[in-house]
Amino acid sequence: MDEWDSDAVISTAKKLSSYRLCDSCLGRQFATVSHGMSNEERGAIIRQLLGLEKVEVEECWLCGGMMGELGKFAEMVVEAMEKYEYETFLVGSRVEKEITAKEDEILSLTEYGESIKREINREVGKLVSASTGKEVDFIRPHITAIINTQYDDIELDIRPLYIYGRYRKLIRGIPQTKWPCRKCNGIGCEYCHGTGKMYEESVEEIIAKRAVEIAEGGEEYFHGAGREDIDVLMLGNGRPFILEIREPRRRKIDLSDLQKEINSFGKGKVEVSELRFAEKKEIEKLKAMKATKTYRVIISFDEKGKINE
Ligand SMILES: [Zn+2]
Ligand SMILES: [Zn+2]
């Protein structure tokens, strides 16, 4: 690691000294020089080494004051996420082209720099974490909040809820999934008596209704292991499924309570068991699964041991 007073760092700093940069933007060009400090602190060190005057953030050639708005961005993110239940989050950002173009120019002059987006994401993430007590998760956050710095807008990406279980279908005449009316395609017409559906109910709807209500979710998708005919029962230990609920506001769901609610709602028709939370990647495995069918075959043997079915 280079030291602050190494020739390489000093000569890089001299190349950058003609730009009017706030401490954050100056320090960011030396992000890999020494750990455990903020870019703003790095900027102050460089400024003192070269005897440069401090540039107020509003006067900064690169960010034009944006680095002074991180606290505001953090508040916006916290407010946007408030109505959702979450334990982990991640902050991302979209920064206007004008700034990223200037940044490309300046980053070509240093070998120690990092991008402004990276700094925004990290610093806003720290502020949000401090104010909410929730943790940053880079791999599978419950919510990803994207800050649009140009329009002061927050876009949320809410991780869906996936609930695995097995269902038994106790009566005939119910399709596995929702079946939109073939005449109106779901809008509602005379043919379907305004329901938009070919059948009054489905395994999917019976299972999803209470789950979506409890999770305060949006759309739901039902992923079954294989399909089955409408007139076939599903008994034994049941068919595996994963219910996907988009944009859930509640995640801490008591699945044994949910199971009871589904089973009382679906009484005599559909029964679920083994509910547990699942991951998205399990859906593909589930779909590839061939539901095993059991057939009873009578086999008799003749005297030479040859099999006659
Ligand atoms: Zn700046
Ligand atoms: Zn219709």
Side-chain angles (χ1 to χ4, degrees), residues 62-80:
L62 178 53
C63 74
M66 187 171 71
M67 294 312 291
E69 298 183 60
L70 301 190
K72 182 191 77 182
F73 291 145
E75 277 173 30
M76 287 165 54
V77 169
V78 170
E79 199 190 316

Side-chain angles (χ1 to χ4, degrees), residues 44 61 87 102 119 140 150 162 164 178 198 205 215 222 237 261 290 301:
W61 171 80
E87 289 308 315
K102 284 180 175 176
E119 180 172 351
R140 290 187 303 113
Q150 186 171 11
Y162 301 98
Y164 169 94
K178 276 184 292 194
M198 294 297 287
E205 288 162 290
F222 188 84
N237 58 358
E261 294 217 33
K290 290 255 172 12
F301 297 88

Side-chain angles (χ1 to χ4, degrees), residues 20-26 28 55-68 116:
R20 285 181 58 74
L21 300 174
C22 70
D23 282 352
S24 293
C25 289
L26 179 59
R28 191 180 316 112
V55 175
E56 292 306 322
V57 66
E58 294 79 16
E59 310 284 309
C60 178
W61 171 80
L62 178 53
C63 74
M66 187 171 71
M67 294 312 291
I116 195 165

Side-chain angles (χ1 to χ4, degrees), residues 168-174 201 206 233-235 260-272:
R168 292 170 15 110
K169 192 172 105 185
L170 311 173
I171 54 167
R172 298 175 205 279
I174 304 178
E201 51 190 359
I206 290 170
L233 302 178
M234 172 46 68
L235 301 173
K260 277 180 212 146
E261 294 217 33
I262 292 171
N263 288 343
S264 105
F265 182 70
K267 199 165 173 56
K269 299 181 225 169
V270 172
E271 200 175 272
V272 297

Side-chain angles (χ1 to χ4, degrees), residues 260-303:
K260 277 180 212 146
E261 294 217 33
I262 292 171
N263 288 343
S264 105
F265 182 70
K267 199 165 173 56
K269 299 181 225 169
V270 172
E271 200 175 272
V272 297
S273 60
E274 296 178 34
L275 295 193
R276 64 166 170 81
F277 292 110
E279 295 299 334
K280 184 181 186 179
K281 59 174 188 249
E282 289 180 61
I283 294 172
E284 240 171 276
K285 263 201 295 188
L286 189 88
K287 296 221 150 167
M289 228 168 97
K290 290 255 172 12
T292 48
K293 286 185 177 140
T294 312
Y295 294 100
R296 196 167 298 137
V297 177
I298 297 165
I299 300 171
S300 60
F301 297 88
D302 72 8
E303 282 156 19

Side-chain angles (χ1 to χ4, degrees), residues 40-261:
E40 194 174 6
E41 291 168 316
R42 291 186 178 93
I45 292 174
I46 289 290
R47 199 157 43 71
Q48 278 152 23
L49 277 173
L50 267 63
L52 300 170
E53 233 176 83
K54 181 168 179 159
V55 175
E56 292 306 322
V57 66
E58 294 79 16
E59 310 284 309
C60 178
W61 171 80
L62 178 53
C63 74
M66 187 171 71
M67 294 312 291
E69 298 183 60
L70 301 190
K72 182 191 77 182
F73 291 145
E75 277 173 30
M76 287 165 54
V77 169
V78 170
E79 199 190 316
M81 297 196 297
E82 227 160 39
K83 61 183 178 196
Y84 296 94
E85 201 167 68
Y86 65 100
E87 289 308 315
T88 58
F89 70 95
L90 185 62
V91 173
S93 53
R94 280 188 239 288
V95 175
E96 48 262 58
K97 281 229 169 60
E98 196 194 334
I99 291 179
T100 53
K102 284 180 175 176
E103 175 168 71
D104 288 345
E105 175 183 332
I106 220 166
L107 276 177
S108 70
L109 302 173
T110 174
E111 55 179 297
Y112 310 108
E114 68 169 350
S115 73
I116 195 165
K117 281 171 69 166
R118 213 178 125 116
E119 180 172 351
I120 292 170
N121 301 349
R122 180 182 61 241
E123 296 302 326
V124 174
K126 281 188 206 163
L127 292 171
V128 171
S129 188
S131 111
T132 60
K134 311 293 183 184
E135 273 175 46
V136 172
D137 182 337
F138 294 96
I139 314 291
R140 290 187 303 113
H142 285 156
I143 305 182
T144 303
I146 309 287
I147 305 164
N148 186 319
T149 62
Q150 186 171 11
Y151 300 109
D152 277 359
D153 182 49
I154 309 292
E155 198 181 296
L156 297 185
D157 183 17
I158 315 289
R159 185 143 63 93
L161 209 51
Y162 301 98
I163 299 172
Y164 169 94
R166 304 181 79 102
Y167 74 82
R168 292 170 15 110
K169 192 172 105 185
L170 311 173
I171 54 167
R172 298 175 205 279
I174 304 178
Q176 184 190 42
T177 53
K178 276 184 292 194
W179 196 335
C181 169
R182 69 164 71 95
K183 300 240 161 148
C184 69
N185 206 19
I187 298 162
C189 67
E190 228 169 276
Y191 181 75
C192 60
H193 307 292
T195 63
K197 297 185 289 187
M198 294 297 287
Y199 294 88
E200 203 50 53
E201 51 190 359
S202 58
V203 172
E204 170 178 8
E205 288 162 290
I206 290 170
I207 292 174
K209 186 173 188 297
R210 283 302 291 144
V212 171
E213 283 171 3
I214 289 170
E216 296 175 37
E219 304 252 295
E220 55 83 6
Y221 295 87
F222 188 84
H223 310 280
R227 301 189 66 86
E228 78 206 3
D229 286 339
I230 184 162
D231 285 320
V232 169
L233 302 178
M234 172 46 68
L235 301 173
N237 58 358
R239 186 187 294 276
F241 67 89
I242 289 175
L243 176 65
E244 173 178 352
I245 301 173
R246 299 266 173 96
E247 305 204 347
R249 291 201 184 190
R250 301 279 156 261
R251 288 183 182 273
K252 290 183 195 152
I253 293 172
D254 185 325
L255 293 181
S256 70
D257 278 355
L258 176 62
Q259 181 167 319
K260 277 180 212 146
E261 294 217 33

